[in-house]
């Protein structure tokens, strides 16, 4: 887990939908509507920060962050083609 530094895949970007007044991820042929916590997770995915770094950032900002929930979100976003898991060296 510590060697995984996820980042948005090429063509994907974090944005804001003014109609729904919610954060979104735009990527080829899909739009994902996000809650603020999911948006914070994705914003931290820069390809440099490892999963423990991301968890630490979230823990500073939110109470009750559950690592398993964050990992489930990250893995789901990789499966959907939104995130690319970068291996750190």
């Amino acid at each position: 887990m510590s060697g995984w530094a996820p980042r948005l895949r090429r063509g994907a970007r974090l944005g804001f939908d003014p109609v729904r007044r919610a954060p979104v991820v735009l990527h080829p042929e899909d739009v994902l509507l996000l809650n603020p916590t999911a948006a914070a997770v994705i914003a931290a995915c820069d390809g440099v920060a490892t999963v423990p770094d991301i968890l630490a950032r979230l823990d500073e900002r939110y109470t009750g962050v559950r690592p398993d929930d964050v990992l489930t979100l990250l893995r789901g976003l990789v499966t959907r083609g939104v995130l690319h898991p970068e291996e750190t060296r």
Side-chain angles (χ1 to χ4, degrees):
M1 178 170 88
S2 62
W4 185 30
R7 67 171 170 82
L8 283 171
R9 284 198 177 268
R10 184 181 206 145
R13 67 182 173 88
L14 187 58
F16 187 80
D17 183 329
V19 173
R20 293 181 179 99
R21 296 179 184 209
V24 295
V25 170
L26 305 168
H27 64 108
E29 301 180 20
D30 200 6
V31 176
L32 296 176
L33 190 61
L34 306 171
N35 65 33
T37 309
V41 171
I42 294 170
C45 294
D46 59 7
V48 176
T50 63
V51 173
D53 297 335
I54 293 168
L55 289 168
R57 287 183 198 173
L58 293 170
D59 198 42
E60 290 174 4
R61 188 170 174 186
Y62 300 97
T63 44
V65 173
R66 295 176 15 186
D68 289 343
D69 291 344
V70 174
L71 284 172
T72 298
L73 173 66
L74 292 171
R75 289 178 180 137
L77 292 170
V78 168
T79 300
R80 289 188 76 156
V82 175
L83 291 180
H84 179 73
E86 290 290 318
E87 291 295 323
T88 59
R89 304 210 191 288

